[in-house]
Amino acid sequence: MDPLVAAENLTKHYGAVVALDGVSFGIFDGITGILGENGAGKSTAIKIFLGLLQPTSGRAMVLGKDASRNVMVRERLGYMPEHECLPRNVSAAELLTHLAEASGLPPSRARTRAADTLRHAGLFEERYRPIAGYSTGMKQRVKLAQALVHDPRMVFLDEPTAGLDPAGREDMLELVRKTHREFGISILLSSHLMADVERTCDRILVLQSGRLVQSGEVSGFTAETESVFIEVDSGREAVVAELEARGVTVRVERSGLHVDGADESVYDLVRDAVVAAKAPLRRMAPRRRALAELFMHEGEEVEP
Amino acid sequence: MSAASADERGRAVAAEAMTGAGSGTVFDIGYRSYDGPREGRARARMAVFKDGVRTALGLGRGIRAKVLPWTFIVLLVSIAFIMALVTGALLRMGGPDAAAHMPSHSDFYGIASIFFFVFSAVVAPELLCPDRRDGVIDLYLVRPITGSDYIAARWLAFLAVSLAVAWLPQFVLLVGRVMGNPDPVGYLAANWLDIPRILASGAALAVYTTTLGMLVAAFTTRRAYASVFLVGLFVITTPFTTGLASEIGGTAGRWISMFNLSNIPVHVNDLIFNDVSGITRGAPARELPAWVRVAWYFLWVIVPGSVLWGRYRRPIS
């Protein structure tokens, strides 16, 4: 099966700054997350796929076409930018109708699609109010709705939860899941939040400083990022020795010890090691590694 | 899940919300994928054009968006209406000789051009600046439309509005003069050439102000900056070049007079009507050959137009 989105040795330089450095990957049907810190190259990659930017070298194909050379392929693409992109003095209904027409839909169909899409985005009641009066959450919904109004085959969402409170974030992620599950639209979602990607995506690509450092199924990926945190009052060295004697790799930090993995067997090993070391246990808890730690770890592994 | 199965699911979840005699039934038809026509780039260009016309006139926007464009439209039509009323009254009361010295079609743009320039300065930035300031341009350029399509559609939209604003008062004046004449059919037969002249000179004015207005608006995201700069460009160059041209005199003075930007389309208007407007009567540039004045006009349309196109040819993010 051909990928919906494909990058081949994709490179983008902004002067001396390397935004993307020879990245290659394929994206298939489903929800794929691009995870990376600010400046990792996520937005640059999305803009190249949409034809908004030209790569310095390499190829970016979407639905089998280069969107910068073949503008017609954009009829089947949607884009939700990270930044502000909504006019202030028009209503959501008018904006979506207009953008549906700008995607090639006839006016009568555009009006119907705008109303339908706003209903699905949860903005049906407010659709005739000027956008300037909308809350941040409502504006994010309008941004998502405009990306879907022309029924694209593939949609690119750049940090869709930016600026949202926890409840708004959960609502937005549910809307994203619904977009694929019920609408049948494939999604490429960029985020710097591991939790967002983990809860929403089927697959994940991790970018760091413009390089692809890891990719795979989210289920396997998140298992790798989980660890058990152990804090003891004394006898820390003895605990480390006992754990290493059991074949476990321990990371020692000032605050405590980390053991990779979070299934029951890891807890059993830790329990046995602490008992054997006769160390007074203060805390033993699951912990997900911070994104920065993950990048550093993965980055170190892939360095030649 | 495929879109087709989503449709089936949508139908499957159709639910009766209310039961009982006389009550209605509400159906949740779920998400329906779009399988209708997609009209591509032509429809996209038309959408940007239509939106440009609506934006220029404030249609579908709040009352504040309508105030400025419609004030100038009413003002320009009022000037023509008053001219028509006065001319008609003089024709009726004093005959053709009494009305002979009244300003006519050839004088209209000379008289009203200042309002027309300010109209362009106020409205042209409205079509470009907010799209870049609010980031809306990115929403256009990820659709089946290029930067060139976008700017061409916006330029044409403002040109269409400017043409209407340029022609409407002239036709009000024409109707007034025809109706005010004791022999309307005879007047029309004798002056029918005014109609193509009105169309041509109005087009020359509209193309010029549209292009310059859009060019300035393309280089700032702040409407106020663009408007102030344009008003300055059109209005301030008049006393500056007039004073300098009369001080220096000769050929150099004539060329300095050519930099009076508000006179450039009026020189073309004079050539079209084979007459001299009040504001160009004393301009040294009038002594330059006709072809120089026409070429100068085209230079001031083609060069700014090319810069404008170049600015949007590549996506602006």
Side-chain angles (χ1 to χ4, degrees):
Chain A
M1 188 170 66
D2 289 335
L4 297 173
V5 175
E8 292 174 22
N9 281 320
L10 199 57
T11 300
K12 178 68 183 176
H13 294 179
Y14 294 105
V17 178
V18 181
L20 286 173
D21 188 6
V23 173
S24 297
F25 56 81
I27 292 170
F28 296 86
D29 190 29
I31 308 180
T32 303
I34 298 190
L35 190 63
E37 294 172 310
N38 292 335
K42 310 183 297 289
S43 298
T44 299
I46 287 177
K47 286 184 175 181
I48 290 174
F49 286 125
L50 289 162
L52 286 173
L53 290 175
Q54 287 285 335
T56 306
S57 64
R59 284 209 315 167
M61 307 293 280
V62 188
L63 308 181
K65 304 266 173 34
D66 178 346
S68 68
R69 294 174 197 280
N70 187 334
V71 294
M72 292 312 296
V73 74
R74 299 189 206 152
E75 274 190 335
R76 307 310 305 267
L77 302 178
Y79 172 49
M80 176 185 176
E82 179 187 5
H83 56 74
E84 282 287 319
C85 62
L86 302 175
R88 300 165 201 189
N89 58 352
V90 297
S91 66
E94 184 169 348
L95 176 70
L96 259 70
T97 303
H98 170 51
L99 291 175
E101 283 188 54
S103 293
L105 272 59
S108 59
R109 304 292 187 101
R111 272 192 296 279
T112 311
R113 281 291 306 177
D116 281 353
T117 311
L118 285 167
R119 181 160 53 85
H120 286 291
L123 285 170
F124 195 68
E125 300 297 327
E126 296 87 358
R127 67 191 188 280
Y128 293 123
R129 278 174 48 198
I131 290 170
Y134 284 8
S135 66
T136 305
M138 290 163 75
K139 285 179 181 169
Q140 288 294 94
R141 284 167 182 267
V142 177
K143 282 164 67 174
L144 179 61
Q146 65 76 28
L148 304 176
V149 69
H150 52 295
D151 193 25
R153 174 76 185 83
M154 174 93 209
V155 67
F156 296 82
L157 309 180
D158 198 355
E159 302 275 4
T161 57
L164 297 180
D165 59 22
R169 207 171 120 194
E170 186 46 51
D171 288 347
M172 175 56 68
L173 293 177
E174 176 51 32
L175 204 50
V176 171
R177 286 190 288 265
K178 183 177 160 189
T179 298
H180 175 63
R181 194 177 61 233
E182 296 184 20
F183 307 177
I185 296 169
S186 291
I187 295 166
L188 180 62
L189 176 151
S190 90
S191 178
H192 66 280
L193 299 170
M194 179 70 182
D196 283 6
V197 173
E198 179 190 271
R199 281 149 66 191
T200 314
C201 301
D202 308 318
R203 284 173 295 280
I204 185 170
L205 305 165
V206 181
L207 288 180
Q208 184 189 13
S209 303
R211 301 177 69 184
L212 183 68
V213 293
Q214 190 154 349
S215 64
E217 298 291 321
V218 166
S219 51
F221 195 87
T222 51
E224 282 181 34
T225 68
E226 287 179 329
S227 64
V228 177
F229 176 70
I230 308 147
E231 193 179 346
V232 290
D233 284 337
S234 60
R236 187 195 252 206
E237 292 75 16
V239 173
V240 172
E242 288 291 342
L243 283 167
E244 287 178 343
R246 286 166 172 78
V248 176
T249 306
V250 185
R251 282 182 295 116
V252 180
E253 290 179 3
R254 198 163 44 184
S255 58
L257 310 175
H258 289 273
V259 175
D260 284 347
D263 60 22
E264 284 188 15
S265 65
V266 176
Y267 284 94
D268 290 346
L269 280 172
V270 171
R271 179 202 59 205
D272 294 346
V274 170
V275 170
K278 294 182 179 158
L281 182 65
R282 178 186 286 266
R283 192 181 345 164
M284 180 167 69
R287 192 185 150 189
R288 179 161 296 129
R289 274 186 279 157
L291 194 57
E293 287 178 67
L294 172 71
F295 289 149
M296 190 175 293
H297 176 65
E298 300 295 348
E300 285 167 0
E301 282 194 344
V302 297
E303 286 292 324
Chain B
M1 178 184 283
S2 71
S5 59
D7 281 352
E8 287 168 14
R9 183 184 171 285
R11 283 190 288 276
V13 298
E16 197 171 292
M18 300 171 71
T19 55
S23 62
T25 302
V26 177
F27 290 96
D28 175 5
I29 55 173
Y31 182 81
R32 287 171 297 169
S33 57
Y34 179 75
D35 53 7
R38 291 180 188 268
E39 298 174 353
R41 209 164 161 183
R43 172 60 62 193
R45 289 171 179 151
M46 179 55 79
V48 179
F49 171 83
K50 267 171 44 185
D51 182 69
V53 171
R54 289 169 62 81
T55 302
L57 297 174
L59 305 178
R61 274 73 176 164
I63 191 73
R64 283 198 305 181
K66 294 180 177 70
V67 170
L68 279 172
W70 287 100
T71 299
F72 282 99
I73 291 169
V74 169
L75 192 64
L76 286 160
V77 172
S78 301
I79 292 169
F81 189 68
I82 291 164
M83 284 168 67
L85 272 183
V86 174
T87 306
L90 287 172
L91 279 168
R92 293 273 178 184
M93 291 187 295
D97 290 342
H101 298 293
M102 278 301 296
S104 184
H105 299 292
S106 62
D107 303 299
F108 180 78
Y109 292 133
I111 294 166
S113 61
I114 183 67
F115 300 111
F116 199 84
F117 291 136
V118 178
F119 169 80
S120 297
V122 168
V123 178
E126 202 68 47
L127 274 82
L128 296 183
C129 297
D131 281 356
R132 289 206 323 286
R133 184 197 60 209
D134 297 335
V136 186
I137 184 95
D138 278 349
L139 302 186
Y140 286 118
L141 297 180
V142 295
R143 291 182 152 78
I145 193 166
T146 64
S148 302
D149 292 335
Y150 169 83
I151 195 61
R154 284 294 202 226
W155 185 86
L156 284 169
F158 190 46
L159 179 67
V161 171
S162 298
L163 282 171
V165 174
W167 285 337
L168 181 64
Q170 286 276 36
F171 279 98
V172 168
L173 181 58
L174 180 68
V175 170
R177 289 179 76 90
V178 170
M179 301 303 285
N181 199 290
D183 177 15
V185 177
Y187 176 84
L188 205 53
N191 297 281
W192 69 270
L193 263 178
D194 278 349
I195 295 171
R197 284 172 176 156
I198 287 168
L199 294 175
S201 63
L205 181 66
V207 167
Y208 178 78
T209 53
T210 297
T211 308
L212 284 188
M214 300 292 269
L215 175 69
V216 172
F219 283 89
T220 175
T221 56
R222 305 292 294 266
R223 283 171 294 182
Y225 293 170
S227 296
V228 168
F229 185 82
L230 279 162
V231 170
L233 203 64
F234 289 133
V235 177
I236 307 298
T237 56
T238 302
F240 181 73
T241 56
T242 305
L244 202 61
S246 62
E247 191 70 32
I248 293 172
T251 306
R254 286 184 205 114
W255 277 100
I256 288 167
S257 172
M258 290 285 269
F259 283 92
N260 182 343
L261 298 185
S262 58
N263 273 4
I264 290 173
V266 185
H267 286 303
V268 176
N269 173 80
D270 291 353
L271 294 168
I272 290 169
F273 281 98
N274 196 25
D275 200 352
V276 182
S277 310
I279 66 164
T280 52
R281 185 159 289 125
R286 202 167 63 80
E287 296 164 24
L288 288 168
W291 72 266
V292 173
R293 284 177 279 163
V294 172
W296 189 245
Y297 167 84
F298 279 110
L299 189 73
W300 277 91
V301 169
I302 291 168
V303 173
S306 303
V307 175
L308 176 65
W309 176 68
R311 174 97 173 117
Y312 278 85
R313 198 163 56 90
R314 300 304 319 157
I316 299 170
S317 289

